[in-house]
Amino acid sequence: MPKMKTHRGAAKRFKRTAGGKWKHGRAYHSHILTKKTTKRKRGLRTVCVAHETDQDRINRMLPYK
């Protein structure tokens, strides 16, 4: 059986936490920032954990992480 391939787009976006969950950066923080408030942009800097319903899907995309 051939080796499974890592989904390279997902590998760049998700990292594992010590507890085995997946963390990722937030969306909407790359451009059109002038109309967003400072408080909103500061909140978008934080890293968040992927939802439980998405964990299995990410596990399939990243089999070796």
Side-chain angles (χ1 to χ4, degrees), residues 4 7 9-14 22-23 29 31-32 37 40 44-45 49 55 60-61 63-65:
M4 294 172 66
H7 190 288
K12 294 167 189 174
R13 288 171 171 82
F14 297 100
W22 292 101
K23 63 181 181 176
H29 194 58
H31 61 7
I32 313 175
T37 64
R40 183 175 168 193
L44 292 172
R45 269 186 282 189
V49 177
Q55 300 277 340
R60 262 183 275 136
M61 288 194 283
Y64 300 111
K65 285 205 161 208

Side-chain angles (χ1 to χ4, degrees), residues 5-29:
K5 288 194 173 184
T6 298
H7 190 288
R8 297 312 296 163
K12 294 167 189 174
R13 288 171 171 82
F14 297 100
K15 300 288 180 215
R16 252 247 205 237
T17 63
K21 296 180 180 179
W22 292 101
K23 63 181 181 176
H24 63 88
R26 293 187 181 267
Y28 307 110
H29 194 58

